[in-house]
């Protein structure tokens, strides 16, 4: 099974259109030791012919064009067979609207996410322009399911629903269905990959679940808890917006230090994160701790 990281940045990408933080400023000026990144997006396949997306980022069109394995053939036959959606956040679902051009595919999402998208947002009507355009499948959060030869387990990461969902509506849904991580492994045997791009805490039960994983793609949004406090308009800590910071007491470097089996990779990296600069002490700390930093185009075989 091959997993390809099409995008590795947090919402907004790197650089972000309205940001001139030191990272965004430097990369635009051409004197930055690191690469630009599109918004977090994975794709995986067992047969290298039919591919499933994990989420659908706003950058999806560019990400497909940068990936020859996702190019169409025989007229309009796209190798994209399905999408697994892990939350209803705009960064994860906007790309679904880009897949509206008369192509049939599957979408796997929790019941809550499916209902928010299809019942509350009329724009998603573009995905039912003809019978059979999109087949929705509800993801069970308490047992595995399979798609395209891949076994998928949801990891509920209890979170809040996106801000565009009214409080009344959100209260009607199970909070366990608001944001899920995924464990992916080939049905025929092979390694297991964990994808947890938005994780607000790391309880012991989660660490135990990750101990059997061979690859961990984990929330690398913010370096420090105070980092988003400096983002105009946000004014909250990393933990307050559902992202455990990398550094500091209780940060992910410390909390996940006992995981020794998995290859550990930070993904969903915000443009303000100093570890994007490969000459920074933060990047050196991450690498010296045995972690990697995901980049667009990175491939992982399981
Ligand atoms: Zn920036």
């Amino acid at each position: 099974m091959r997993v390809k990281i099409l995008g590795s940045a947090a919402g907004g990408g790197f650089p972000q259109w309205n940001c001139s933080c030191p990272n965004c400023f430097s990369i635009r000026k051409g004197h930055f030791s690191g690469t630009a990144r599109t918004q977090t997006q994975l794709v995986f396949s067992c047969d290298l012919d039919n591919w499933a997306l994990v989420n659908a980022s706003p950058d999806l069109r560019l990400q497909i064009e940068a990936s020859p394995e996702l190019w169409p053939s025989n007229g309009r036959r796209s190798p994209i067979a399905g999408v697994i959606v892990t939350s209803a956040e705009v960064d994860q679902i906007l790309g679904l609207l880009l897949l509206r051009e008369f192509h049939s595919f599957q979408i796997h999402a929790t019941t809550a996410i499916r209902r928010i998208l299809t019942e509350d947002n009329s724009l998603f009507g573009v995905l039912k322009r003809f019978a059979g355009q999109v087949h929705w499948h509800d993801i069970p959060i308490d047992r595995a399911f399979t798609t395209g030869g891949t076994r998928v387990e949801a990891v509920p990461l209890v979170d809040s629903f996106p801000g565009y969902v009214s409080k009344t509506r959100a209260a009607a849904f199970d909070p366990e269905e608001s944001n899920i991580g995924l464990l992916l492994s080939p049905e025929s045997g092979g390694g297991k990959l964990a994808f947890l791009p938005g994780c607000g805490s790391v309880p012991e039960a989660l660490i135990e679940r990750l101990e059997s994983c061979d690859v961990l793609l984990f929330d690398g949004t913010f370096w420090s808890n105070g980092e988003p406090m400096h983002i105009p308009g946000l004014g909250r800590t990393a933990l307050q917006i559902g992202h455990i910071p990398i550094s500091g007491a209780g940060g992910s470097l410390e909390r996940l230090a006992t995981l020794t089996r998995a290859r550990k990779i930070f993904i969903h990296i915000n443009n303000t994160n100093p570890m994007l600069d490969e000459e920074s002490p933060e990047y050196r700390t991450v690498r010296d701790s045995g972690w990697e930093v995901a980049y667009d185009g990175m491939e992982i075989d399981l």
Side-chain angles (χ1 to χ4, degrees), residues 13-25 28 270-273:
F14 175 53
Q16 179 173 318
W17 71 277
N18 65 343
C19 187
S20 64
C21 73
N23 285 348
C24 290
F25 180 83
R28 288 193 183 103
N270 198 60
N271 58 77
T272 54
N273 191 323

Side-chain angles (χ1 to χ4, degrees), residues 201-221:
S201 66
V202 183
E204 286 303 316
L206 178 59
I207 293 177
E208 282 172 24
R209 215 163 164 189
L210 297 177
E211 273 166 357
S212 63
C213 294
D214 301 280
V215 180
L216 170 62
L217 298 177
F218 191 79
D219 187 337
T221 312

Side-chain angles (χ1 to χ4, degrees), residues 242-253:
H243 296 286
I244 187 171
I246 294 171
S247 68
S252 52
L253 280 182

Side-chain angles (χ1 to χ4, degrees), residues 5-299:
I5 297 173
L6 305 185
S8 51
F14 175 53
Q16 179 173 318
W17 71 277
N18 65 343
C19 187
S20 64
C21 73
N23 285 348
C24 290
F25 180 83
S26 298
I27 199 163
R28 288 193 183 103
K29 292 291 182 185
H31 48 75
F32 185 79
S33 297
T35 56
R37 285 166 166 84
T38 59
Q39 293 166 87
T40 291
Q41 178 69 51
L42 302 189
V43 67
F44 65 91
S45 175
C46 282
D47 61 10
L48 306 186
D49 188 24
N50 297 288
W51 293 79
L53 303 172
V54 176
N55 291 322
S57 92
D59 295 321
L60 188 55
R61 185 184 157 276
L62 291 172
Q63 292 166 332
I64 290 170
E65 293 307 320
S67 309
E69 57 272 67
L70 300 180
W71 293 352
S73 58
N74 298 330
R76 291 197 166 188
R77 186 213 167 261
S78 166
I80 296 173
V83 187
I84 302 175
V85 178
T86 63
S87 91
E89 293 289 349
V90 169
D91 310 336
Q92 268 106 59
I93 53 104
L94 204 58
L96 291 174
L97 301 175
L98 308 178
L99 300 176
R100 69 191 181 280
E101 277 99 4
F102 298 101
H103 171 63
S104 293
F105 62 103
Q106 319 277 325
I107 300 179
H108 298 265
T110 64
T111 306
I113 294 171
R114 172 181 56 77
R115 293 189 59 192
I116 288 167
L117 299 185
T118 61
E119 296 175 11
D120 302 356
N121 291 276
S122 57
L123 200 53
F124 280 81
V126 298
L127 296 180
K128 46 182 179 185
R129 299 162 83 187
F130 63 93
Q133 183 176 2
V134 166
H135 297 272
W136 289 86
H137 304 271
D138 287 4
I139 295 178
I141 55 173
D142 55 353
R143 63 186 185 279
F145 67 96
T146 59
T147 179
T150 300
R151 184 176 190 274
V152 183
E153 285 177 63
V155 180
L157 303 167
V158 180
D159 197 359
S160 51
F161 287 95
Y164 70 81
V165 181
S166 74
K167 283 191 168 56
T168 316
R169 183 67 164 153
F173 295 126
D174 181 350
E176 289 211 316
E177 295 191 358
S178 61
N179 177 23
I180 56 170
L182 299 175
L183 303 182
L184 305 175
S185 55
E187 270 188 297
S188 55
K192 187 189 288 186
L193 176 140
F195 177 61
L196 304 168
C199 193
S201 66
V202 183
E204 286 303 316
L206 178 59
I207 293 177
E208 282 172 24
R209 215 163 164 189
L210 297 177
E211 273 166 357
S212 63
C213 294
D214 301 280
V215 180
L216 170 62
L217 298 177
F218 191 79
D219 187 337
T221 312
F222 297 114
W223 177 258
S224 64
N225 193 37
E227 187 180 323
M229 296 286 285
H230 306 292
I231 298 173
L234 203 51
R236 287 181 289 163
T237 67
L239 288 168
Q240 284 171 339
I241 54 176
H243 296 286
I244 187 171
I246 294 171
S247 68
S252 52
L253 280 182
E254 182 185 286
R255 288 292 292 147
L256 297 170
T258 56
L259 282 183
T260 52
R261 174 187 169 122
R263 177 181 172 191
K264 296 187 279 192
I265 305 168
F266 283 118
I267 194 168
H268 195 268
I269 306 152
N270 198 60
N271 58 77
T272 54
N273 191 323
M275 80 174 175
L276 284 169
D277 180 350
E278 294 174 10
E279 290 182 1
S280 68
E282 291 85 358
Y283 179 79
R284 183 45 47 202
T285 298
V286 163
R287 299 293 284 127
D288 289 348
S289 303
W291 284 76
E292 298 170 62
V293 180
Y295 55 86
D296 293 14
M298 191 178 198
E299 291 181 341

